[in-house]
Amino acid sequence: MLILTGMLTITQALVDQIVAHARQDHPDEACGVIAGPAGSDRPERFIPMLNAAMSPTFYEFDSGDLLKLYREMDDRDEEPVVIYHSHTATEAYPSRTDISYANEPGAHYVLVSTADTDGLGDFQFRSYRIVEGEVTEEEVKVVQAY
């Protein structure tokens, strides 16, 4: 039975890496994974991925890279704790396509928007659970260390 918490706890260093990747790949969407020990719900290992779509409105993991990543995580007894990507012109909320591709019910889906859509600064950092097409935003608690 999968028990989901309503909060993502993540280090400032990982937040900074995600935001830096989003800015680096702008105007294309950036994407990646943060792996953590299986069953821990603790994001630890930052793994930036190539957006195979190379698109400002869509992201897609390269299937070969993704297969390699899952084999590596399996060998290290890890799982994808965070799956992240950026939106370059819209708010940090999952699109219909994002929702249809969300196939890790235990993962936190982090979206970073590099567009100032809310007047609150140059990026938004938000986290969601996406289970069977249902999107639930969750609190993000940024810590210095675990």
Side-chain angles (χ1 to χ4, degrees):
M1 168 94 187
L2 186 64
I3 308 248
L4 302 179
T5 62
M7 180 168 56
L8 166 63
T9 301
I10 188 169
T11 63
Q12 183 66 58
L14 288 170
V15 169
D16 292 347
Q17 286 179 292
I18 292 170
V19 171
H21 185 204
R23 288 182 170 147
Q24 174 189 323
D25 283 12
H26 188 87
D28 290 341
E29 290 192 3
C31 57
V33 173
I34 303 177
S40 72
D41 198 37
R42 190 174 67 235
E44 291 184 352
R45 190 165 64 94
F46 178 73
I47 308 155
M49 302 284 282
L50 173 70
N51 178 356
M54 295 189 168
S55 166
T57 58
F58 178 71
Y59 84 98
E60 182 177 32
F61 290 122
D62 176 84
S63 57
D65 289 350
L66 201 55
L67 180 62
K68 182 179 169 220
L69 171 63
Y70 271 80
R71 285 182 174 154
E72 184 181 289
M73 286 190 298
D74 196 45
D75 289 347
R76 296 171 64 128
D77 198 26
E78 292 175 329
E79 63 189 4
V81 177
V82 170
I83 297 171
Y84 74 86
H85 78 280
S86 62
H87 282 181
T88 60
T90 58
E91 71 171 322
Y93 189 85
S95 69
R96 283 190 307 271
T97 305
D98 297 339
I99 294 165
S100 71
Y101 280 143
N103 60 2
E104 286 288 346
H108 302 269
Y109 285 87
V110 165
L111 275 108
V112 173
S113 176
T114 53
D116 183 3
T117 57
D118 59 8
L120 297 177
D122 58 354
F123 71 91
Q124 295 175 341
F125 187 100
R126 295 166 72 182
S127 184
Y128 304 88
R129 294 292 192 158
I130 305 174
V131 180
E132 295 176 4
E134 188 174 321
V135 177
T136 307
E137 187 164 6
E138 62 185 357
E139 182 184 344
V140 177
K141 180 179 178 185
V142 180
V143 296
Q144 290 309 308
Y146 303 123

